[in-house]
Amino acid sequence: MPLSKVIPCGWTLPEVEKFDALLVGSANAFRHGGEKLEALTHLPVLAVGQATAQAARDSGFKVARSGVGGLQSILDQSAGEFQKLLRLSGEEHVPLCPPDNVQITDRIVYRIGTVDLPEEFADELSMGALVLLHSAAAADHFSSECNRLGVNREKVSLCALGPRILEPVGEGWQDARAAANPNENDLLALAIQMCQG
């Protein structure tokens, strides 16, 4: 049951010759960036993780670096190599602190819209469920929907991609844990562990 949907945004293409790399924190930038991406395929990509890197490759880009510790760590590691970055992101994105010699230009290429949970799904949740959460916005929306629908939190366990994702959900859940590292493999490993426990 999805909690959100991706909505492409109209965005303007900057003067591409001013940049030496793309900085991308989500595969959604490549999936929903539209035709303008074709003008950027010559730029190497600094990708937040493996899923984003693969989406870049699938869209015809070459990946210079992909990480596991978030965009800030990739930015820090790449400071001596790339100085003028074009960041393609969603409307809600993590703030970054670029090194002194690095300039970042932002372009919002998509936004996340929420999806209301149907009332019949609330009954299923109240019988016991494990919910995977990939963002703080999704977690906040899920928590609000549970309040709206009267879901018994004591029957619901939360499995999050990272610790900050759990901050907006409040108390009263059967269990709430974050993956050891912010990637799909660790998230699914934690989900399996929680189901078996």
Side-chain angles (χ1 to χ4, degrees):
M1 177 63 64
L3 293 169
S4 59
K5 58 184 176 183
V6 181
I7 303 167
C9 294
W11 60 286
T12 57
L13 192 66
E15 296 179 38
V16 297
E17 64 275 5
K18 291 183 176 181
F19 303 99
D20 51 20
L22 296 178
L23 183 64
V24 186
S26 171
N28 284 327
F30 296 107
R31 294 177 185 142
H32 303 280
E35 295 179 358
K36 294 183 182 78
L37 292 177
E38 294 174 13
L40 303 172
T41 54
H42 65 287
L43 293 172
V45 174
L46 306 176
V48 70
Q50 292 302 318
T52 303
Q54 189 57 53
R57 292 184 192 100
D58 292 345
S59 299
F61 290 84
K62 290 184 179 177
V63 177
R65 182 170 286 135
S66 64
V68 294
L71 272 187
Q72 185 65 53
S73 68
I74 292 190
L75 189 58
D76 295 340
Q77 294 167 18
S78 307
E81 193 175 355
F82 303 104
Q83 284 80 43
K84 295 183 179 179
L85 305 177
L86 175 59
R87 182 182 186 185
L88 304 179
S89 67
E91 189 174 56
E92 292 185 21
H93 51 271
V94 175
L96 298 172
C97 297
D100 290 338
N101 65 332
V102 175
Q103 296 177 343
I104 300 176
T105 300
D106 291 297
R107 285 295 185 269
I108 307 300
V109 301
Y110 68 92
R111 66 182 181 86
I112 303 295
T114 58
V115 175
D116 291 343
L117 296 177
E119 290 188 18
E120 58 272 17
F121 190 65
D123 296 334
E124 293 182 38
L125 288 171
S126 293
M127 289 188 291
L130 176 66
V131 178
L132 304 184
L133 298 170
H134 287 76
S135 74
D140 184 48
H141 175 62
F142 178 72
S143 179
S144 296
E145 283 294 278
C146 286
N147 291 342
R148 179 180 70 86
L149 296 168
V151 171
N152 181 359
R153 289 180 175 220
E154 294 178 356
K155 297 287 187 179
V156 179
S157 294
L158 306 178
C159 182
L161 194 61
R164 73 176 184 84
I165 292 172
L166 293 173
E167 290 174 8
V169 300
E171 304 293 327
W173 306 98
Q174 182 180 41
D175 197 358
R177 299 187 212 171
N181 296 295
N183 62 63
E184 287 294 318
N185 288 339
D186 282 11
L187 179 68
L188 294 176
L190 176 59
I192 291 169
Q193 179 186 338
M194 292 174 73
C195 286
Q196 292 173 343

